[in-house]
Amino acid sequence: MLLKQIRRVLLATTLIAGAAVTSATTAPAQGELPSVLHLSLNTEGSSVQRTTLLECHPAGGTHKFAQKACTDLELVQGDFRRMNVHLARACTLEHLPVTAKLEGKWRGGVVSYTKNYPNACAMQNETGVLFDL
C-alpha cells in the first residue's frame, strides 16, 4: 500500500516537472519583448501593394516563412537594410524597381526602414525570405 502511494507521488511529481519544462521552453524568455512588423512590397508601375504581418519572439503572424525571416532579422537586430543573405542565384539586369518597407516594433523599439532595389531578384538575394510576400 505504501509502495503504491510512493509511485503515485513520484508519477505526479514527474508530470508536473515535465509540464513546467515544456512551458518554460515555449514561452518567451523573461524580459524578452515581442516584435511585430508590418512588411510591404511595391513594384514600380503596379498599383498593387503586397503586405504581411511578421511577429518574432516568438515567430508567427501571417508571414509564410516567419521562423526563417525572424532568424535572419535577429542577425541584424531588425534592420533589413543590413541583411546580406546572398542566395546562390544570379539575377538578370531587368530594371523593374521594387520598394521594400518594414515598420513596427523590434524588441520594444519602434523601427521603420525602406529600401529600393533594381528588381525583385536583387532584393531577394539580400533579404532572403523576408519579403517573400
Side-chain angles (χ1 to χ4, degrees):
M1 181 77 149
L2 181 61
L3 189 54
K4 263 187 174 179
Q5 287 179 330
I6 292 173
R7 282 187 204 160
R8 286 183 185 155
V9 169
L10 287 174
L11 179 60
T13 305
T14 303
L15 291 173
I16 291 170
V21 169
T22 301
S23 66
T25 58
T26 57
Q30 185 68 16
E32 186 174 81
L33 297 172
S35 299
V36 179
L37 305 167
H38 299 274
L39 306 173
S40 64
L41 188 60
N42 289 320
T43 303
E44 186 177 287
S46 174
S47 61
V48 178
Q49 178 182 34
R50 292 179 281 168
T51 62
T52 195
L53 178 70
L54 175 64
E55 297 174 2
C56 299
H57 318 112
T62 57
H63 195 290
K64 57 187 171 183
F65 302 109
Q67 185 64 52
K68 175 70 172 138
C70 289
T71 299
D72 290 347
L73 277 173
E74 189 67 40
L75 296 173
V76 293
Q77 291 82 43
D79 184 350
F80 81 88
R81 299 170 307 172
R82 294 178 29 215
M83 292 177 84
N84 202 9
V85 175
H86 285 299
L87 299 175
R89 177 174 69 163
C91 295
T92 64
L93 296 177
E94 174 184 32
H95 183 72
L96 187 56
V98 294
T99 302
K101 188 172 187 176
L102 175 149
E103 294 181 309
K105 290 197 173 204
W106 180 260
R107 295 193 174 270
V110 175
V111 292
S112 180
Y113 304 114
T114 302
K115 187 169 179 180
N116 297 311
Y117 297 90
N119 56 49
C121 180
M123 177 196 64
Q124 289 172 344
N125 278 353
E126 279 189 32
T127 65
V129 299
L130 181 62
F131 288 97
D132 191 352
L133 311 182

